[in-house]
C-alpha cells in the first residue's frame, strides 16, 4: 500500500510539473500588432502569423523577416527577443523562429 501511495504522489507531482512547464512555455513575445488587439492573433496572414497563427503562413507570397522584443514589468531581466524568417516556395512555406 505504501508503494502505491508513493507511486501516485510521484506521478501526480510529475504531471503537475509537466503542466506548469507547458503553461510557462506559452509566455513569449507576441508583437506590437497582437498586443494592440488584445493578444488575439489567430486572424493574421502576414509575418505576425509566425508568432501566433502558423496556419496563416500558407498565405505568404513574399520573403519576410520578423523581429520583436518585449520587456515585462520594466525589468531588463525579463526581456524576450524573437527573430524569425519566412520563405515561401512552390512546395510550401518554410519559417524559422
Amino acid at each position: 500500500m505504501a508503494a502505491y501511495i508513493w507511486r501516485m504522489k510521484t506521478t501526480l507531482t510529475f504531471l503537475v510539473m509537466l503542466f506548469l512547464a507547458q503553461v510557462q512555455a506559452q509566455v513569449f513575445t507576441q508583437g506590437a500588432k497582437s498586443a494592440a488587439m488584445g493578444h488575439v492573433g489567430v486572424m493574421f496572414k502576414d509575418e505576425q502569423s509566425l508568432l501566433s497563427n502558423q496556419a496563416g503562413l500558407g498565405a505568404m507570397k513574399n520573403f519576410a523577416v520578423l523581429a520583436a522584443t518585449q520587456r515585462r514589468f520594466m525589468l531588463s531581466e525579463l526581456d524576450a527577443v524573437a527573430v524569425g524568417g519566412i520563405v515561401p516556395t512552390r512546395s510550401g512555406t518554410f519559417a524559422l523562429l
Side-chain angles (χ1 to χ4, degrees):
M1 184 70 177
Y4 176 75
I5 293 174
W6 181 82
R7 184 180 300 156
M8 290 300 294
K9 285 183 181 180
T10 305
T11 304
L12 184 61
T13 303
F14 174 76
L15 290 175
V16 168
M17 290 176 64
L18 183 65
F19 174 75
L20 291 177
Q22 293 296 322
V23 171
Q24 191 68 12
Q26 299 302 318
V27 178
F28 196 68
T29 303
Q30 296 292 319
K33 189 175 178 181
S34 177
M37 297 177 71
H39 297 288
V40 177
V42 297
M43 73 299 249
F44 295 147
K45 293 183 180 177
D46 57 1
E47 62 274 357
Q48 289 286 326
S49 64
L50 182 62
L51 296 172
S52 59
N53 181 21
Q54 289 77 26
L57 293 173
M60 293 292 295
K61 303 294 183 210
N62 299 320
F63 174 79
V65 176
L66 173 76
T69 63
Q70 181 179 19
R71 178 167 286 180
R72 291 183 175 260
F73 307 112
M74 299 301 289
L75 296 172
S76 61
E77 293 84 6
L78 298 178
D79 284 353
V81 178
V83 178
I86 302 167
V87 181
T89 63
R90 278 187 264 158
S91 61
T93 303
F94 296 95
L96 181 65
L97 181 62

